[in-house]
Amino acid sequence: MTALPGTRRLLMTWGLLMALTVLSMVSARLDQSNWQALPLWSAALVLMATGFKAHRVLMVYLNLRAATAAWKGVFIALTLLTLTLIAAGYLVGRFHLVG
């Protein structure tokens, strides 16, 4: 295995990231007739796509696949924590759990 990702891997990852961005945009615009929070399934789809995209950026562009397990674990844990906080904020706002 080479130390740096090859051009093919970088381009394939970039294409996948763009496709997931389009998927997230379409998902967010499906229920645009009213200005309410996204449906639960749509928000979950956007968060899953975001999590996968963050993982690909970490592993390919930041080349964490060549790092030790500790570094990978820390970055993945921080990514999951961030996504969990975003999901919690969405759920609080969606179901008016505060106030």
Side-chain angles (χ1 to χ4, degrees):
M1 178 166 74
T2 61
L4 298 175
T7 303
R8 179 181 166 97
R9 180 185 293 264
L10 291 171
L11 290 175
M12 288 179 63
T13 301
W14 177 80
L16 180 63
L17 293 175
M18 292 301 106
L20 287 171
T21 298
V22 169
L23 176 74
S24 296
M25 289 170 57
V26 168
S27 172
R29 293 183 57 90
L30 285 178
D31 193 24
Q32 194 181 10
S33 60
N34 56 8
W35 290 96
Q36 301 297 320
L38 289 175
L40 192 56
W41 66 269
S42 182
L45 182 64
V46 169
L47 281 176
M48 286 189 301
T50 302
F52 185 76
K53 287 169 58 175
H55 184 266
R56 296 309 322 150
V57 168
L58 289 172
M59 293 303 147
V60 176
Y61 287 102
L62 295 180
N63 204 22
L64 274 183
R65 63 188 174 87
T68 63
W71 280 109
K72 288 179 195 176
V74 167
F75 276 98
I76 290 173
L78 289 173
T79 301
L80 289 175
L81 176 65
T82 302
L83 290 173
T84 302
L85 289 173
I86 292 169
Y90 167 79
L91 291 172
V92 166
R94 173 86 176 162
F95 298 110
H96 307 289
L97 299 176
V98 176

